[in-house]
């Protein structure tokens, strides 16, 4: 197959600016499918009690959420490499088809086992959508405008994640929990059809054969690591899972150093911008998911709010992520803003978690809302920086896996962070010998146990701020450069 030269690729990308009706539609479809994939990370949160009651699966309740997250995280690097080997269009359409099929199976599930299998299928598709939409933007817009549109995707990802709980609660109350899944089918089919017709990316240098053994080892390491954070001491395997995860990770690193076309090239980490962006991505994921998971719980227990009302209290976080992602993305094309945005975003996240810890102690809801707004600003500024930095430091044949890595580290940071902080929270809630004598007593214990989680999050974000000091000053040294030198 004859591939375009780098010059032809550049001309094609410059021509595909989102000014024509065709390219606006492509960008809209990419945003829509990313929103659907992100929405299903949290949309079941408020529907879980009803699902468990209908399907008689109270003992497997948390796995409805975890199965999706584990499956989507495990395949992110594989999709990135498949895009490098076979092109982003075919890979994106395949992921969209799997996601739509999984959503339909979820909505038609008759028992909890069927639902968990369907959620795994849905997650396998979602992992590709969350990765490949970011990559496809690079084919639709010119390099100097990618930051702006990566910011748009980042803000929509945050919006979808935060709107998930109230939307899931509303659908469950008004219709059925099944519509939390079936809602994806009509728009998913539309996206599949439109992208099949209109999305025609430029040719690019193709990577060699896909490293399937490396993909399997990495997936097993990620799944085992996530399971290790959820294991209980009485399970009898809690000590073996972390050891197994470390062993699998070591085997993966060894294999990647030997194969010709690794699933995650270790050479990428030799570039400081890529390595530091990975640290920032992980901290951003922790910052986002910690707030989304634990703040609504605090509001439900302490303020006695309903699930939908508690979800709406995340509005300042949601709006701030949107605004900061767009503004930060626009500034990405200017000289000298990358490092400044990374430092400002990390420090804003750290300061916000200090505010959340203090407001939780004083039960000051107004201060909590203010802290959530600051947190959203920090997350919104950081997301486009990390995504663009990973892309600009990679060669053409590594663009897919570089983009996937930013998403993977963000998701892994959020998943591991929430699981570890959840274990810390469970240890912190120590009931008295006779148990809690009232709901108020449990709420007080919950709030007290929640404060250390926010202090730990502030520390992690501060460490990320130190890492941001090593980021390059600019990701676009001039408007004519195609890649970070």
């Amino acid at each position: 197959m004859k591939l375009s030269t780098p010059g032809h690729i550049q001309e094609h990308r410059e021509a595909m600016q989102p000014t024509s009706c065709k390219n606006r539609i492509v960008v809209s479809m990419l945003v829509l499918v990313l929103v659907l994939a992100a929405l299903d990370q949290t949309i079941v949160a408020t529907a879980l009690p009803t699902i468990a009651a209908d399907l008689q699966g109270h003992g497997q309740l948390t796995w409805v959420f975890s199965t999706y997250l584990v499956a989507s995280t495990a395949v992110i690097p594989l999709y990135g490499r498949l895009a490098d080997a076979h092109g982003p269009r075919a890979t994106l359409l395949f992921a969209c088809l799997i996601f739509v099929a999984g959503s339909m199976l979820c909505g038609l599930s008759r028992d909890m086992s069927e639902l968990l299998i369907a959620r795994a299928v849905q997650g396998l598709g979602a992992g590709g959508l969350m990765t490949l939409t970011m990559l496809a933007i690079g084919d639709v817009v010119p390099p100097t405008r990618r930051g702006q549109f990566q910011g748009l995707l980042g803000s929509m990802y945050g919006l979808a994640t935060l709107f998930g709980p109230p939307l899931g609660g509303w659908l469950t109350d008004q219709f059925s929990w099944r519509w939390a899944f079936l809602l994806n089918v009509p728009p998913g089919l539309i996206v599949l059809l439109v992208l099949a017709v209109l999305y025609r990316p430029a040719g690019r240098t193709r990577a060699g054969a896909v490293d399937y053994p490396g993909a399997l080892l990495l997936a097993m390491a990620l799944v085992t690591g996530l399971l290790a954070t959820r294991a209980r001491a009485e399970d009898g395997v809690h000590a073996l899972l972390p050891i197994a995860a470390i062993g699998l990770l070591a085997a993966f690193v060894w294999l990647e150093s030997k194969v010709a076309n690794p699933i995650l090239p270790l050479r990428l980490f030799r570039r400081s911008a890529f390595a530091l962006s990975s640290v920032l991505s992980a901290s951003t994921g922790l910052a986002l998911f910690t707030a989304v998971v634990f703040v609504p719980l605090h509001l439900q227990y302490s303020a006695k709010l309903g699930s939908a009302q508690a979800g709406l209290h995340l509005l300042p976080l949601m709006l701030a992520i949107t605004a900061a992602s767009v503004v930060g993305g626009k500034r990405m094309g200017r000289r000298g803003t990358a490092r400044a945005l990374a430092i400002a975003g990390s420090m804003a996240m750290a300061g916000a978690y200090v505010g959340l810890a203090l407001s939780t102690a004083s039960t000051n809801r107004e201060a909590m809302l203010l802290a959530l707004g600051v947190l959203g600003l920090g997350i919104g500024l950081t997301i486009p920086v990390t995504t663009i930095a990973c892309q600009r430091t990679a060669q053409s044949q590594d663009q897919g896996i570089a983009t996937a890595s930013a998403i993977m580290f963000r998701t892994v940071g959020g998943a591991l962070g929430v699981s570890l902080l959840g274990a810390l929270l469970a240890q912190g809630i120590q009931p008295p010998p006779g148990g809690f004598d009232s709901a108020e007593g449990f709420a007080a214990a919950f709030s007290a146990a929640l404060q250390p989680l926010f202090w730990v999050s502030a520390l992690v974000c501060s460490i990320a701020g130190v890492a941001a000091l090593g980021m390059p000053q600019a990701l676009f040294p001039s408007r004519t450069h195609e890649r970070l030198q």
Side-chain angles (χ1 to χ4, degrees):
M1 180 183 292
K2 185 178 183 295
L3 297 178
S4 301
T5 65
H8 291 153
I9 295 174
Q10 175 62 15
E11 291 173 4
H12 181 87
R13 285 178 174 172
E14 292 291 343
M16 288 189 69
Q17 296 186 32
T19 53
S20 68
C21 179
K22 171 185 173 181
N23 293 320
R24 288 196 185 102
I25 293 174
V26 171
V27 172
S28 299
M29 293 298 101
L30 293 174
V31 171
L32 175 58
V33 77
L34 176 66
V35 165
L36 294 177
L39 199 63
D40 272 69
Q41 289 182 323
T42 58
I43 196 171
V44 299
T46 49
L48 285 178
T50 305
I51 292 174
D54 285 354
L55 301 183
Q56 303 298 313
H58 289 280
Q60 300 169 299
L61 195 61
T62 59
W63 283 104
V64 178
F65 172 81
S66 300
T67 301
Y68 180 88
L69 194 60
V70 169
S72 61
T73 303
V75 296
I76 282 175
L78 177 59
Y79 272 112
R81 212 29 142 182
L82 287 173
D84 288 331
H86 304 292
R89 180 177 179 272
T91 314
L92 177 59
L93 294 178
F94 174 76
C96 188
L97 181 62
I98 295 298
F99 177 76
V100 171
S103 298
M104 184 176 296
L105 291 173
C106 286
L108 299 177
S109 297
R110 295 166 297 180
D111 55 45
M112 188 62 78
S113 297
E114 288 185 2
L115 179 59
L116 293 180
I117 294 173
R119 281 288 277 175
V121 173
Q122 191 187 33
L124 292 176
L129 298 180
M130 289 186 286
T131 301
L132 298 171
T133 50
M134 299 287 186
L135 178 63
I137 283 292
D139 290 311
V140 178
V141 301
T144 53
R145 297 193 66 191
R146 286 182 200 164
Q148 176 183 350
F149 285 89
Q150 294 286 2
L152 172 65
L153 289 178
S155 64
M156 296 308 296
Y157 177 91
L159 282 170
T161 302
L162 298 173
F163 263 124
L167 177 60
W170 181 79
L171 288 172
T172 301
D173 292 340
Q174 299 298 321
F175 304 100
S176 166
W177 60 265
R178 297 181 184 276
W179 281 102
F181 305 112
L182 296 175
L183 179 71
N184 299 320
V185 177
L189 292 175
I190 292 173
V191 169
L192 191 63
L193 177 62
V194 172
L195 290 182
V197 174
L198 298 182
Y199 177 42
R200 302 289 176 178
R204 66 175 73 197
T205 303
R206 297 291 177 87
V210 177
D211 175 25
Y212 289 107
L216 179 61
L217 276 176
L218 181 57
M220 291 173 63
L222 291 174
V223 170
T224 306
L226 291 172
L227 291 175
T229 64
R230 304 185 65 87
R232 298 173 297 178
E234 57 267 26
D235 290 337
V237 296
H238 68 286
L240 297 179
L241 286 174
I243 296 173
I246 294 172
L248 289 168
L249 184 60
F252 168 75
V253 172
W254 176 84
L255 180 64
E256 297 305 275
S257 66
K258 302 296 182 182
V259 298
N261 297 292
I263 191 73
L264 181 59
L266 301 181
R267 62 180 176 270
L268 291 174
F269 293 94
R270 298 191 188 105
R271 295 176 177 252
S272 60
F274 184 89
L276 295 172
S277 294
S278 300
V279 174
L280 288 170
S281 293
S283 66
T284 302
L286 180 142
L288 175 61
F289 282 99
T290 297
V292 169
V293 171
F294 294 112
V295 169
L297 288 177
H298 171 67
L299 292 172
Q300 290 179 68
Y301 287 128
S302 300
K304 303 297 187 295
L305 298 181
S307 56
Q309 287 180 305
L312 290 175
H313 274 69
L314 295 174
L315 186 63
L317 175 64
M318 176 174 55
L319 295 177
I321 289 176
T322 305
S325 294
V326 174
V327 173
K330 287 183 178 180
R331 293 185 62 86
M332 287 290 293
R334 300 183 183 180
R335 192 180 184 90
T337 59
R339 183 189 301 164
L341 288 175
I343 295 173
S346 299
M347 292 298 97
M349 290 188 293
Y353 270 109
V354 172
L356 285 173
L358 296 175
S359 63
T360 301
S362 62
T363 64
N364 188 329
R365 203 184 306 177
E366 289 75 19
M368 177 175 289
L369 294 176
L370 177 61
L372 287 172
V374 176
L375 178 62
L377 292 176
I379 294 173
L381 291 176
T382 308
I383 286 177
V385 174
T386 56
T387 303
I388 297 297
C390 287
Q391 290 179 335
R392 300 289 287 179
T393 54
Q395 299 298 320
S396 175
Q397 68 269 23
D398 292 329
Q399 282 291 301
I401 189 58
T403 305
S405 297
I407 311 299
M408 181 186 71
F409 284 114
R410 189 182 308 146
T411 307
V412 169
L416 288 177
V418 168
S419 295
L420 291 171
L421 292 175
L424 180 63
L425 177 66
Q427 291 181 355
I429 303 176
Q430 297 295 335
F436 294 108
D437 55 1
S438 66
E440 288 73 16
F442 175 79
F446 183 89
S447 296
L450 188 62
Q451 295 168 37
L453 274 61
F454 292 154
W455 287 114
V456 170
S457 300
L459 176 61
V460 172
C461 294
S462 299
I463 294 173
V466 175
L469 294 173
M471 288 288 290
Q473 186 175 4
L475 296 177
F476 298 95
S478 72
R479 299 186 68 85
T480 60
H481 281 195
E482 174 67 14
R483 186 172 290 106
L484 183 67
Q485 301 298 319

